[in-house]
Amino acid sequence: MVKLRQPMDVPQILLSVLFLSVMIIACVWIVQPFILGFAWAGTVVIATWPLMLRLQQILWGRRSLAVLVMTLLLILLLVIPVALLVNSLVDNSAPLVHWLSSGQMTLPDLAWLNSVPMVGAKLYAGWHNLVDSGGSAIMAKLRPYIGTTTTWFIGQAAHIGRFMMHCALMLLFAALLYWRGERVAQGFRHFATRLASSRGDAAVVLAAQAIRAVALGVVVTALVQGILGGVGIAIAGIQYATILTVVMVLSCLVQLGPLPVLIPCIIWLYWSGDTTWGTVLLVWSCVVGTLDNVIRPVLIRMGADLPMVLILSGVIGGLIAFGMIGLFIGPVVLAVSWRLFYAWVQESPAPHKPVDEVIENVADEQQKAK
């Protein structure tokens, strides 16, 4: 007996899709103020989950005590230092922004070139020939853009109220995730399994590994190197130590290390005649510059080697899109996407045929089609 196919109720399907779309948009709209705080908390909790379980074992198996200790550690080691760093950056950057935005910024004279043996006079004359032939005009054209760019970067850190709100939300969500972490993880895995069966479950596990790899291997290493380098700069008496510390953290996040900031400071100390602190900072820079070779292998153990371009794009794009919090969220989002994309590509075997053979096959198929 042939069964007749029921006709499709197109209006019902369209209205169902419209209703679901409206509900999803409404839900996203409602939870939008909490998305960044929850994403930050999720990153922190996933990265520190093994530490929380170890604390729970030490504290007589009581989850409440472990959650309390982890929350206090987050306040002392993450929230307070970052908040003080941002606040100090805003306070100390006003003179720098005023100087860059004003018309007083000119190219340096570089009179010290005359003291360079043999070639110093020629270098000094060549530099001033460049300045006289149009260097001042170039500086006048670049000055507005430099001032605007610097003001924008400082403005990202100036939203202290919004940043502190996200910090408070992060602490709240982190405490909740620590308390019910297993249930939340099971819920995500169940939802992913419902969407894509075992592949969805594998995607969630890979995403968690990528988050832990970036949070520990990239962000924590950058913060440790940047803060230690900033301490050395401040003790050595370099001005604008806070701003240089922030630049150093950014440099470490994009995998350039702290040396692009520390080396000019060392040169400046030696050039100004302060050889004692210059030597101290030189030794300290050697320690801080090689610290990532010790910290990163300990923190990142799942072998998630991420391309430098990916981390650089995540840091800069996250800063532009989300402000200071984007420094932590941007690399994580791109790392998760990269791991999932890489796993999906690896499901198919790589091509082994020579290029000439592939081209001949394509040409044969085109001839047959004609």
Side-chain angles (χ1 to χ4, degrees):
M1 181 177 180
V2 180
K3 294 184 178 179
L4 297 177
R5 186 177 180 181
Q6 296 292 334
M8 296 180 60
D9 193 349
V10 177
Q12 181 184 4
I13 296 175
L14 292 177
L15 290 175
S16 300
V17 172
L18 179 61
F19 176 76
L20 291 176
S21 302
V22 170
M23 292 298 297
I24 293 174
I25 294 174
C27 291
V28 173
W29 193 6
I30 292 173
V31 301
Q32 183 180 3
F34 311 103
I35 291 178
L36 291 180
F38 184 81
W40 193 9
T43 301
V44 172
V45 170
I46 291 175
T48 58
W49 185 256
L51 177 60
M52 198 279 298
L53 293 180
R54 188 172 302 177
L55 283 175
Q56 183 177 348
Q57 293 177 356
I58 296 175
L59 297 173
W60 308 283
R62 299 187 62 178
R63 175 63 61 89
S64 58
L65 294 179
V67 172
L68 179 61
V69 172
M70 288 300 299
T71 305
L72 293 176
L73 288 177
L74 289 180
I75 295 175
L76 295 176
L77 300 179
L78 181 62
V79 176
I80 292 180
V82 172
L84 291 177
L85 191 64
V86 173
N87 189 23
S88 180
L89 173 63
V90 175
D91 293 339
N92 296 328
S93 59
L96 180 62
V97 173
H98 181 267
W99 177 70
L100 291 173
S101 303
S102 64
Q104 302 175 356
M105 185 175 59
T106 58
L107 292 175
D109 184 68
L110 300 184
W112 56 269
L113 288 175
N114 290 316
S115 61
V116 178
M118 298 180 66
V119 296
K122 293 182 179 180
L123 291 176
Y124 182 76
W127 169 252
H128 276 272
N129 288 333
L130 177 63
V131 172
D132 295 338
S133 62
S136 300
I138 295 174
M139 204 65 191
K141 293 181 180 180
L142 291 178
R143 190 182 299 116
Y145 299 100
I146 295 175
T148 303
T149 304
T150 307
T151 305
W152 181 86
F153 273 101
I154 301 303
Q156 295 299 316
H159 301 289
I160 299 179
R162 185 177 64 179
F163 180 78
M164 295 307 297
M165 181 193 70
H166 287 307
C167 288
L169 291 175
M170 185 273 294
L171 289 175
L172 175 61
F173 288 132
L176 295 176
L177 290 175
Y178 280 133
W179 182 256
R180 297 296 182 185
E182 294 88 354
R183 184 176 299 181
V184 175
Q186 185 64 25
F188 276 104
R189 294 183 61 184
H190 192 183
F191 177 73
T193 304
R194 181 65 180 86
L195 286 179
S197 188
S198 59
R199 296 178 62 182
D201 190 16
V204 172
V205 175
L206 289 175
Q209 291 180 353
I211 291 173
R212 188 170 299 164
V214 173
L216 294 179
V218 177
V219 177
V220 173
T221 304
L223 289 175
V224 171
Q225 283 188 292
I227 292 174
L228 291 179
V231 170
I233 290 176
I235 294 177
I238 301 294
Q239 293 184 351
Y240 301 110
T242 303
I243 298 177
L244 293 176
T245 301
V246 175
V247 175
M248 208 178 320
V249 172
L250 293 175
S251 178
C252 294
L253 282 174
V254 300
Q255 305 302 295
L256 295 179
L259 295 182
V261 179
L262 291 174
I263 290 177
C265 295
I266 296 172
I267 295 174
W268 170 259
L269 288 174
Y270 277 109
W271 188 258
S272 61
D274 196 352
T275 57
T276 302
W277 282 112
T279 305
V280 172
L281 187 60
L282 176 61
V283 175
W284 185 247
S285 300
C286 294
V287 176
V288 175
T290 58
L291 200 59
D292 59 335
N293 297 324
V294 178
I295 296 178
R296 187 175 290 118
V298 175
L299 295 179
I300 181 170
R301 295 184 178 181
M302 62 285 299
D305 296 327
L306 303 173
M308 187 181 70
V309 176
L310 188 76
I311 300 174
L312 175 63
S313 304
V315 171
I316 298 177
L319 178 64
I320 295 174
F322 306 116
M324 292 296 292
I325 299 180
L327 295 176
F328 307 97
I329 297 178
V332 170
V333 173
L334 291 187
V336 171
S337 302
W338 170 258
R339 288 296 302 274
L340 297 179
F341 174 77
Y342 183 78
W344 175 74
V345 171
Q346 292 300 315
E347 291 181 357
S348 176
H352 299 288
K353 293 182 179 181
V355 177
D356 297 336
E357 183 179 349
V358 174
I359 295 176
E360 291 178 0
N361 293 335
V362 173
D364 294 339
E365 292 179 358
Q366 291 178 351
Q367 290 293 334
K368 292 178 181 180
K370 292 181 179 178

